[in-house]
Amino acid sequence: MKQQLESIQKKALEKLETIQELRELEDFRVAYLGKKGELTSILKGMGSLSPEERPVIGQLANEVRNALEAGIAAAKERLIKAAREEKIRQETLDVTMPGRARKLGKKHPITLVLDEIKEIFLGMGYEIAEGPEVELDYFNFEALNMPRNHPARDTQDTFYITEDVLLRTHTSPVQARYMKDHKPPIRIICPGRVYRSDAVDATHSPIFHQVEGLVVDKGVTMGDLVGTLQVFAKGVFGENTRIRLRPHHFNFTEPSAEVDVSCWGCGGTGCRICKGEGWIEILGAGMVHPNVLRAGGIDPDVYSGFAFGLGIDRIAMGKFGIDDMRLLFENDIRFLRQF
Amino acid sequence: MKAPLNWLKDFVDINVGIREYVHAMTMSGSKVEGVEDMGEGIDKVVVGRILEMEAHPNADRLKICKVDVGSEMLQIVTGAPNVKAGDLIPVALVGAKLPGGEIKVSKLRGVESYGMMCSMEELNLTRDYLPDAPENGVYIFNEEVKPGTDVKEALHLDKVIDFEITSNRPDCLSIYGLARESAVTLGVPLKKPEIRVREEAGGNASDHVTIEIENPELCPRYSARIVTDVKVGPSPYWMQHRLAAAGMRPINNIVDITNYVMLELGQPMHAFDFSKITGSKIIVRTAREGEVLKTLDGQERKLDPSMLVIADAERPVGVAGVMGGENSEITEDTRMILLESANFNGTSIRLTSKKLGIRSEASLRFEKGLDPENTIKALDRCAELIELLGAGRVVRGIVDCNKVPKRQDTIRLDVDRINGLLGTDIPVEKMVEIFRALEFEVDTNTMMMKIPSFRSDIESAADLAEEIARFYDYNNIKPSLLSGKEAMRGKKSYKQRMEDVIRNTMCACGLNEAYTFSFTSPRVFDSINLPADHPLRKAVVISNPLGEDYSIMRTTMLPDMLRVLATNYSRKIETARLFELAFVYHPVEGQELPEQKSVLTLGMYGEDCDFLELKGIVEELLAAMGISDFEFRPEREDPIFHPGRTASLMLKNADGTFRKAGVLGEIHPEVAEKTECPERTYAATFEVAALIEASTPDRKFKPLPKYPAVPRDIAVVVKDEVYVADLLRAIRKAAGDILEDVSLFDVYKGSQVPAGMKSTAFALTFRSPERTLKDEEVNAAMDRILKSLEHQFGAKLR
Ligand SMILES: [Zn+2]
């Protein structure tokens, strides 16, 4: 009987090696360990054994059972692993095939630039103010130190609705409106659409977008303006961007400056984009003119402030390398989906 | 303002290279737009005199010349038809590199030639600069020049700097003003040449003429000189060339002198033929109704009483500060002139020049407001030049009618305030130095300064700060970031955040953001089938538009969206999905400004685009904005949309009524055709304010279900015209609280159901938050639903 058991174990373990499928393995288990299995039937003959033999054979039988069960478990693991590997092999994809197209829409490049600028100034404690595009002459010009018949008005080819109502030529009237309704400290940016009577071509549009900035508080200096514009320029054009201020004249600021940033094309060494200058003019700025503060009901002997205004469309064109302004308003899907 | 460098150098030593100079001027506020080097590339070209000229033995058209070029005598063969012995001509020597190529010793039909005579074009010059150049052939000097002189010197080929002058600095619309800025910028003294007038004519100017100003508010000052024995002729080359380089055409010595003084000193001048001035009288007055004047450009001008004129005893002889009249023009026969140097009100000149459509060098200076103290100096300079050029004899004295009101011309130099505004620490000495260089008179005891008369732009401490800052260099100001100021909150408003939600949701739904113009053509209303009396046709009209296509402010964005879709469609783009968030403008009766409404517009055509796709996007948006109380109702009235495939979005008011917030649907086939959109084009438009008002910022957490759901389906056959929305409403009502969700999953029309009927199938989910539902409860609910559908809609279970 002992021999019988040992031979069963040997034969069974050899058989196990050859099993290739899970169902075969189950048949094997039934054949050996099932109620009518070989090992079971041998053990049924245990009754005929002597009392001395019984525990010995019993232990041996258990060992054989354990060995078979362990063998079956190992074989099962081997088969599952093999089956999984086979499945993986079969379902391998050509991962270089193109992905399935998604339908996510894109924001307009002007919105993208505007969002970036808003983020920078929100981070510095500015609020976002808005105002009407069809605007009173008073807020667009007079409150900004440009009385009627002032020659500076001629430089901003204005669309008029009536003598007193016009399409705002800049976002600066929002400054004037805001100062009337709010007391300092003031920190706002005013993004929006502006209008000038320019024919449409690659570099001009009668409608474009600006962001105006206004800060009024006690003791605001031109140094604060320079520092703020530096943060802005680095934020929009990159950490290595430098700015340069040149004296200029605007009626609503004094001192006034035109502000250049180091060229995004060449970093300042001169290239086609900056026409060899190394600098690109992007905004106008200055210390708020005392007359403008006064028009807003703010005492220029107590408060000072700075303001700046920049064109978004040109910045978007520069950032994205767009060479024709008309593309911004044409809305060709192939254009819009690039951003 | 174009300033020839050598002219500037009459008044200031420019001791740095041109690049450095240009940069320094830009950084001190006189922005340089460009520099033109007129003599660029013209080297080894000198003045030569043709001493002898003989025919070429082998060519009829060629001539052999002996030319004196100063240092030597050259044999030059030329084919120029216009030269003769004795002429002074430009000669390009061997080795000269002209824009057209290098000059070499050459043999022309067997005869050697050692140079080339040059035409205007070969010197890269234009007729504006050399008005006396022949149509073709070699340029011939009409003025004596020493042979051998470099042609750049002989023709005064200079570097011309183009300055951008801001409107507050009319004093810089002059060489002298720019020289003053240069002097302060470079830290060198300004040269102030003394003007000497000999006044040799005898008599007094006041014996010849009287001047009367009727409108001193429009003409505060009128100064004049009289010149006799005038000889009109061309002005010398140096003057012609400076005028031409500065962009003015030389005319004759008298006119050139007045223009020269205007460019040099910034004071526009005018010369009248005094023999044409009736009554020996100059009257400055407004024009009378119906008066006309032929101006120097030959145009008949209708004048009106808003315009200031210079008149004699009988008639206008010039439009003040804008343009002289032909009736008193300087001609070859002019023998006696009156030189005008006046000061006019800038606004008046500006309006007149606008009305007449004349922008002259004089008017563009006057309209910015000039220095009334400059008139005498300019007259004296004119007189000096007339004497220098031998153009006439100047009569003693100036007739000066001066009604300039006294103005505040002192200001305190508040050093602390200036430093406080700039954020700098500039010492008082430095500031005083800058102001003195700018010709302010500074009293260092009282710190009071007298503002020079040519700086009417200086009014306040801020103006003084700018003067200091621009010579200190803006870029030397130390940057700071509002340090020590109260910290402030930067946050978007609720409305601004909701607008972000709208844009983000639109993009997530596959719509691309469009930007279109806010003004449009009134004809777009026809293209979208708007009836003639439709309120949307009432628009804000632009009085001076760029053309009819851009002449009204839009009242609806749909035509723009359709145009964009049509553009994409015409470019063979298969699918386009777009949105725009922008304003429309509605005039309001009795109100100056129109109502500016924020509108969201959607538009799409192509793959997967149908009504339900559009509606799904709208539902997604409503969910994103937290809008739950709304209904879609069939919209049959909107002329832009397909009456059977369009819905209105109705938002529920607090009192249970509904208001319309927008429309969504398929574009009416006729409109699609007119606008060249695809047949199946979908669009929607919503009032953003209404959406935002209905939106909720807050989201409340709802616990996840603890008990199992019981799913059931029901399919019923109803008449075609029954709305699914009504069936759904009935199902919800009949089912009661235990119905968690119901959705339509199929609509079937065809052979399985009778004609005019449709089968609608719904998936229902029953669940209680408190317990596991019993089958009987659900069955009872299903019975109630079926009964309700049968009762209300005649539905039959399928
Ligand atoms: Zn560059």
Side-chain angles (χ1 to χ4, degrees):
Chain A
M1 201 163 203
K2 187 181 171 194
Q3 263 175 13
Q4 240 177 321
L5 281 170
E6 280 167 353
S7 123
I8 283 171
Q9 179 172 353
K10 189 165 175 265
K11 190 179 78 186
L13 289 178
E14 275 167 12
K15 175 105 195 281
L16 258 184
E17 297 285 323
T18 68
I19 288 175
Q20 293 302 331
E21 274 180 45
L22 277 171
R23 189 172 339 155
E24 243 184 288
L25 188 66
E26 179 59 16
D27 291 347
F28 172 92
R29 194 189 61 78
V30 173
Y32 286 94
L33 304 176
K35 278 183 186 155
K36 290 172 185 162
E38 254 182 87
L39 189 63
T40 321
S41 49
I42 285 179
L43 291 179
K44 279 183 185 154
M46 287 264 283
S48 62
L49 291 178
S50 66
E52 296 79 40
E53 275 178 317
R54 217 175 283 164
V56 180
I57 294 298
Q59 197 190 340
L60 183 63
N62 269 335
E63 276 168 23
V64 171
R65 171 179 285 271
N66 287 347
L68 289 188
E69 274 172 354
I72 288 168
K76 192 173 179 184
E77 200 178 314
R78 169 174 64 81
L79 289 177
I80 286 172
K81 205 174 156 200
R84 190 178 290 132
E85 272 164 12
E86 174 59 15
K87 186 164 178 263
I88 286 172
R89 201 184 56 74
Q90 279 181 6
E91 63 193 17
T92 294
L93 290 177
D94 176 0
V95 294
T96 67
M97 287 191 301
R100 203 166 292 131
R102 295 284 97 183
K103 282 186 191 158
L104 198 65
K106 298 296 186 71
K107 285 185 188 172
H108 194 279
I110 291 174
T111 299
L112 293 176
V113 171
L114 212 50
D115 282 351
E116 209 172 327
I117 292 171
K118 283 178 188 169
E119 191 184 318
I120 292 167
F121 284 103
L122 286 166
M124 291 196 281
Y126 288 63
E127 283 193 32
I128 302 168
E130 287 156 88
E133 294 171 13
V134 182
E135 180 57 286
L136 294 173
D137 181 282
Y138 174 80
F139 287 113
N140 195 75
F141 287 129
E142 266 182 71
L144 298 171
N145 201 28
M146 276 183 278
R148 252 167 230 274
N149 292 320
H150 194 284
R153 289 181 170 214
D154 280 355
T155 61
Q156 307 195 357
D157 308 303
T158 310
F159 289 116
Y160 280 93
I161 307 300
T162 66
E163 205 177 315
D164 300 318
V165 179
L166 44 71
L167 301 186
R168 68 177 178 194
T169 57
H170 45 192
T171 39
S172 312
V174 187
Q175 273 189 36
R177 283 180 177 274
Y178 196 88
M179 278 190 275
K180 269 187 118 62
D181 301 337
H182 297 78
K183 293 292 130 225
I186 292 171
R187 273 185 221 184
I188 51 164
I189 56 166
C190 336
R193 231 166 224 222
V194 300
Y195 302 80
R196 294 203 194 165
S197 183
D198 260 332
V200 179
D201 67 23
T203 52
H204 294 90
S205 169
I207 296 183
F208 55 102
H209 301 79
Q210 280 189 341
V211 173
E212 188 81 7
L214 174 72
V215 170
V216 181
D217 205 340
K218 282 179 185 153
V220 175
T221 70
M222 192 144 170
D224 294 327
L225 169 64
V226 178
T228 302
L229 293 178
Q230 270 182 0
V231 170
F232 158 74
K234 284 174 190 290
V236 173
F237 299 105
E239 211 42 52
N240 295 323
T241 307
R242 289 162 294 128
I243 61 167
R244 178 177 88 166
L245 282 79
R246 285 179 285 101
H248 195 68
H249 172 70
F250 302 112
N251 281 71
F252 34 102
T253 51
E254 188 79 27
S256 303
E258 278 185 337
V259 183
D260 303 330
V261 293
S262 50
C263 174
W264 47 72
C266 62
T269 52
C271 71
R272 195 180 50 82
I273 296 171
C274 57
K275 300 188 185 86
E277 294 281 321
W279 296 97
I280 297 174
E281 184 191 324
I282 56 152
L283 60 86
M287 303 305 291
V288 183
H289 196 287
N291 291 350
V292 175
L293 290 174
R294 246 174 245 127
I298 294 170
D299 184 353
D301 290 326
V302 179
Y303 293 98
S304 59
F306 63 76
F308 56 87
L310 56 134
I312 304 302
D313 310 58
R314 283 193 55 206
I315 291 178
M317 289 173 74
K319 262 183 93 80
F320 298 116
I322 300 165
D323 58 2
D324 192 327
M325 203 160 180
R326 286 169 290 205
L327 287 167
L328 293 172
F329 298 100
E330 208 175 64
N331 303 298
D332 189 310
I333 289 286
R334 296 163 299 181
F335 171 81
L336 296 175
R337 292 197 57 83
Q338 291 181 30
F339 304 100
Chain B
M1 169 85 195
K2 285 184 172 175
L5 187 61
N6 284 323
W7 201 346
L8 286 167
K9 284 181 174 174
D10 285 357
F11 304 106
V12 60
D13 284 325
I14 295 172
N15 48 8
V16 295
I18 186 80
R19 278 187 69 91
E20 199 181 323
Y21 171 65
V22 158
H23 180 254
M25 289 299 282
T26 296
M27 298 313 284
S28 72
S30 306
K31 189 183 178 193
V32 174
E33 303 257 280
V35 178
E36 188 195 355
D37 184 353
M38 304 195 74
E40 195 175 6
I42 299 176
D43 273 318
K44 290 198 172 178
V45 183
V46 300
V47 178
R49 185 189 299 280
I50 303 175
L51 296 182
E52 289 169 22
M53 190 160 88
E54 56 186 57
H56 192 294
N58 306 324
D60 290 348
R61 282 177 44 253
L62 297 180
K63 283 159 194 141
I64 304 166
C65 303
K66 289 258 177 308
V67 182
D68 173 10
V69 293
S71 53
E72 57 184 323
M73 204 74 79
L74 297 177
Q75 172 173 295
I76 296 173
V77 179
T78 179
N82 65 325
V83 291
K84 58 181 190 306
D87 282 350
L88 283 165
I89 38 88
V91 176
L93 303 174
V94 170
K97 290 190 183 94
L98 289 182
E102 192 181 334
I103 304 298
K104 292 176 181 138
V105 182
S106 57
K107 241 183 194 168
L108 290 140
R109 296 271 178 125
V111 180
E112 288 187 321
S113 181
Y114 295 86
M116 186 184 77
M117 300 183 193
C118 302
S119 67
M120 173 183 83
E121 291 82 3
E122 280 155 342
L123 294 172
N124 213 13
L125 296 172
T126 62
R127 192 160 302 280
D128 287 340
Y129 196 77
L130 296 179
D132 61 346
E135 274 306 326
N136 47 63
V138 163
Y139 180 72
I140 301 170
F141 288 85
N142 287 313
E143 195 174 282
E144 196 51 39
V145 203
K146 226 176 115 224
T149 310
D150 188 325
V151 79
K152 281 189 280 192
E153 193 188 323
L155 291 177
H156 311 96
L157 301 183
D158 203 351
K159 292 188 175 70
V160 183
I161 304 160
D162 192 1
F163 289 99
E164 179 198 349
I165 307 298
T166 52
S167 64
N168 59 329
R169 292 301 302 276
D171 62 306
C172 286
L173 289 170
S174 71
I175 301 294
Y176 190 69
L178 285 167
R180 185 189 294 117
E181 286 289 314
S182 305
V184 187
T185 302
L186 301 174
V188 297
L190 177 68
K191 291 190 247 178
K192 302 175 183 175
E194 199 186 321
I195 299 169
R196 286 200 193 86
V197 192
R198 295 196 301 272
E199 304 186 312
E200 289 167 335
N204 274 306
S206 53
D207 302 336
H208 292 282
V209 67
T210 55
I211 291 167
E212 213 175 281
I213 299 175
E214 282 187 11
N215 308 76
E217 70 289 352
L218 300 183
C219 174
R221 189 167 195 179
Y222 195 101
S223 320
R225 270 186 180 277
I226 300 290
V227 180
T228 61
D229 303 294
V230 170
K231 288 189 283 287
V232 177
S235 54
Y237 270 13
W238 65 266
M239 184 175 276
Q240 289 194 27
H241 292 150
R242 278 192 172 177
L243 290 173
M248 291 200 81
R249 200 163 52 90
I251 293 169
N252 60 48
N253 50 1
I254 299 299
V255 175
D256 288 358
I257 286 168
T258 59
N259 284 336
Y260 188 89
V261 171
M262 173 179 69
L263 291 174
E264 186 170 271
L265 299 178
Q267 169 67 44
M269 314 280 297
H270 187 68
F272 295 97
D273 185 331
F274 194 60
S275 68
K276 314 270 174 65
I277 302 291
T278 320
S280 299
K281 211 173 183 183
I282 290 289
I283 304 165
V284 188
R285 59 164 171 86
T286 49
R288 309 207 203 295
E289 202 71 67
E291 269 182 335
V292 287
L293 177 69
K294 198 182 238 186
T295 42
L296 284 174
D297 54 8
Q299 303 242 18
E300 193 84 36
R301 308 282 181 178
K302 282 199 183 71
L303 306 176
D304 71 47
S306 75
M307 300 172 182
L308 192 70
V309 297
I310 311 301
D312 59 16
E314 288 174 354
R315 55 180 186 159
V317 291
V319 183
V322 178
M323 197 174 269
E326 221 176 59
N327 55 15
S328 53
E329 190 182 2
I330 305 297
T331 66
E332 279 177 23
D333 306 323
T334 301
R335 292 294 166 260
M336 190 170 178
I337 59 171
L338 178 136
L339 289 171
E340 167 196 294
S341 183
N343 189 267
F344 299 113
N345 174 289
T347 303
S348 156
I349 299 293
R350 183 170 158 271
L351 294 178
T352 302
S353 121
K354 252 187 153 173
K355 245 185 199 170
L356 294 177
I358 309 176
R359 275 182 76 83
S360 62
E361 289 284 336
S363 73
L364 75 85
R365 283 176 173 75
F366 277 126
E367 69 180 32
K368 297 189 170 78
L370 294 181
D371 172 14
E373 300 306 311
N374 206 15
T375 61
I376 304 295
K377 184 179 178 185
L379 268 184
D380 285 346
R381 179 65 172 145
C382 246
E384 183 186 41
L385 287 168
I386 284 172
E387 290 177 347
L388 179 74
L389 267 50
R393 300 201 314 149
V394 178
V395 174
R396 192 179 320 119
I398 291 173
V399 184
D400 183 19
C401 198
N402 184 354
K403 310 209 168 167
V404 178
K406 181 96 186 78
R407 71 178 187 115
Q408 175 65 35
D409 62 351
T410 56
I411 189 164
R412 210 170 86 77
L413 172 55
D414 187 338
V415 175
D416 291 341
R417 180 129 187 213
I418 291 172
N419 276 324
L421 192 62
L422 297 178
T424 51
D425 207 5
I426 301 165
V428 58
E429 297 77 20
K430 179 74 195 160
M431 291 195 191
V432 169
E433 184 193 318
I434 289 171
F435 282 119
R436 285 193 170 143
L438 286 167
E439 301 193 43
F440 286 66
E441 288 166 30
V442 189
D443 180 339
T444 46
N445 293 320
T446 60
M447 293 314 272
M448 290 308 289
M449 304 197 294
K450 184 162 182 291
I451 303 166
S453 59
F454 52 85
R455 290 303 303 273
S456 59
D457 61 308
I458 301 290
E459 285 171 347
S460 68
D463 300 314
L464 298 182
E466 178 168 87
E467 296 305 297
I468 294 301
R470 64 196 184 92
F471 294 109
Y472 176 75
D473 192 337
Y474 281 12
N475 301 290
N476 286 333
I477 295 173
K478 258 216 321 274
S480 51
L481 271 177
L482 298 165
S483 46
K485 311 274 180 306
E486 190 183 323
M488 293 185 72
R489 181 195 63 166
K491 191 169 189 262
K492 288 184 183 176
S493 67
Y494 178 66
K495 173 178 150 292
Q496 288 158 356
R497 279 190 289 142
M498 275 301 145
E499 285 166 355
D500 286 350
V501 168
I502 292 174
R503 282 200 172 86
N504 291 337
T505 309
M506 289 297 105
C507 286
C509 291
L511 275 61
N512 298 286
E513 188 179 18
Y515 271 52
T516 59
F517 279 4
S518 323
F519 40 54
T520 188
S521 162
R523 279 170 303 155
V524 297
F525 298 129
D526 300 329
S527 75
I528 57 168
N529 276 358
L530 228 51
D533 58 346
H534 199 282
L536 283 183
R537 283 186 182 258
K538 240 184 86 202
V540 175
V541 180
I542 300 167
S543 68
N544 57 336
L546 281 178
E548 205 209 357
D549 282 354
Y550 301 133
S551 63
I552 59 164
M553 298 304 283
R554 60 182 170 191
T555 55
T556 161
M557 277 155 53
L558 276 172
D560 297 299
M561 180 54 78
L562 295 179
R563 190 177 33 84
V564 168
L565 291 172
T567 301
N568 279 285
Y569 185 58
S570 75
R571 293 177 183 180
K572 311 272 182 268
I573 292 161
E574 281 171 17
T575 301
R577 294 168 163 237
L578 294 136
F579 77 97
E580 182 174 11
L581 185 57
F583 293 117
V584 296
Y585 316 82
H586 299 293
V588 183
E589 202 68 55
Q591 212 174 287
E592 263 188 312
L593 295 185
E595 187 187 6
Q596 177 174 305
K597 270 191 189 166
S598 180
V599 169
L600 171 68
T601 303
L602 288 66
M604 58 191 203
Y605 70 81
E607 192 189 351
D608 291 341
C609 290
D610 57 24
F611 176 80
L612 293 181
E613 173 78 8
L614 177 65
K615 189 176 173 189
I617 292 168
V618 173
E619 285 166 337
E620 200 67 56
L621 174 69
L622 296 171
M625 295 181 78
I627 302 173
S628 46
D629 281 341
F630 61 86
E631 266 180 23
F632 291 99
R633 291 187 189 160
E635 170 64 63
R636 302 184 188 283
E637 306 304 321
D638 197 313
I640 307 171
F641 289 94
H642 188 309
R645 295 185 164 195
T646 299
S648 288
L649 171 66
M650 306 300 292
L651 298 176
K652 196 173 189 179
N653 295 319
D655 64 1
T657 59
F658 283 84
R659 68 192 182 284
K660 186 167 157 182
V663 191
L664 61 152
E666 188 172 308
I667 293 299
H668 195 288
E670 196 184 333
V671 174
E673 194 183 306
K674 278 189 190 170
T675 53
E676 293 171 19
C677 281
E679 192 193 343
R680 302 284 181 213
T681 295
Y682 297 87
T685 174
F686 302 103
E687 273 187 33
V688 174
L691 296 181
I692 290 178
E693 205 197 316
S695 71
T696 46
D698 305 321
R699 297 289 188 276
K700 278 266 154 44
F701 163 73
K702 236 167 56 192
L704 300 181
K706 287 196 190 95
Y707 300 94
V710 183
R712 292 288 169 92
D713 289 348
I714 186 171
V716 291
V717 176
V718 291
K719 282 197 188 122
D720 240 358
E721 55 268 26
V722 172
Y723 290 125
V724 168
D726 293 334
L727 295 175
L728 285 168
R729 202 174 298 122
I731 290 170
R732 282 200 198 92
K733 195 164 173 225
D737 284 348
I738 58 170
L739 181 66
E740 185 182 68
D741 192 28
V742 53
S743 60
L744 176 79
F745 74 88
D746 189 36
V747 178
Y748 174 78
K749 283 193 257 188
S751 56
Q752 307 289 314
V753 293
M757 307 289 276
K758 62 184 173 189
S759 161
T760 54
F762 300 89
L764 297 87
T765 307
F766 294 91
R767 195 202 301 270
S768 159
E770 284 128 21
R771 62 205 154 79
T772 304
L773 289 177
K774 293 194 196 85
D775 261 0
E776 303 85 80
E777 289 178 89
V778 176
N779 293 342
M782 289 301 285
D783 284 346
R784 288 199 302 274
I785 289 168
L786 184 59
K787 284 218 177 69
S788 164
L789 295 181
E790 282 168 354
H791 178 71
Q792 287 188 53
F793 307 102
K796 291 205 168 57
L797 195 63
R798 186 155 178 253

